[in-house]
Amino acid sequence: MAEKAKSDSGIVETIKTIFWALLIAGVFRTLFFQPFWIPSGSMKDTLLIGDFLFVNKMTYGYSYASCPSVRIPAVGINVDAKDLCGWLGEGSNERLFGGEPERGDVVVFRHPVTGYDFIKRLIGLPGDKVQLRNGAVYINGQVVKREDGGVFTEEYGPQGPQRHRPRCENGPVGDGGACAKSRYIETLPNGVQYSTLNITTQGSDNTGIYTVPEGHYFFMGDNRDNSTDSRVPKSARGVDYVPYENLIGRADRIMFSSAGRSMFAFWTWRGDRFFKAVE
């Protein structure tokens, strides 16, 4: 009997330990930092498929979107952030301890339509008028300075867990070939510099004028011809204008980066991206 009681006690202690560990991890993720693994190439070459980073949630304060969504389709789990933290005022477009994002920040936010986490660069602030003409960005009628940044080259082939192949400016290339894109260096009005990529001339290079509503933000991917962002309206399941409350946090630094199908495949980690700052 004593051995059984001891065994039962050990099981209870193990359950308690797991419970508190999960609780602490959940609080840490909700209040401070959220891990994020880059699944697509929309932010190349700033962020590559397989980059693993932590998102700083303290930068902009907290809203319902600060709570993580728990989605595990294999076992039928789909708990949305608003189910957990809707009491924080979902729909109010307000935040606790709110901080204002700056133009040029790389931000993780909750997609206004699908509810999934997206990562893009903040281009337009509330009240701004944003337009693209021949691939150049205009903010409030002034062109964003754009300089030649050379050529970005990557190996053509399946990338990441989704095995997507990149689009190339230099036409169709076979697996293992050099997939090239023109690189430009943009400088925003506040002095923030970053690189963007060009693949081809397409409709999204020339747009109408987007007037950013109060309390909302305009985002674009750095890989301009391969990004679903604020240029795409909600009616087409695009990002459209993103409400303040949907901001999750700012991406500041890449911890490590995997060129393989899994972040745990350490033999595929890129040696030049450990603790790399996100610019």
Side-chain angles (χ1 to χ4, degrees), residues 125-136:
L125 300 174
D128 280 346
K129 296 183 183 299
V130 181
Q131 185 179 25
L132 273 81
R133 304 180 200 164
N134 298 319

Side-chain angles (χ1 to χ4, degrees), residues 36-57:
F36 193 86
W37 193 35
I38 302 300
S40 76
S42 69
M43 282 295 292
K44 291 178 182 176
D45 65 337
T46 303
L47 298 172
L48 303 180
I49 295 176
D51 282 351
F52 182 83
L53 48 86
F54 281 98
V55 178
N56 186 346
K57 289 190 169 184

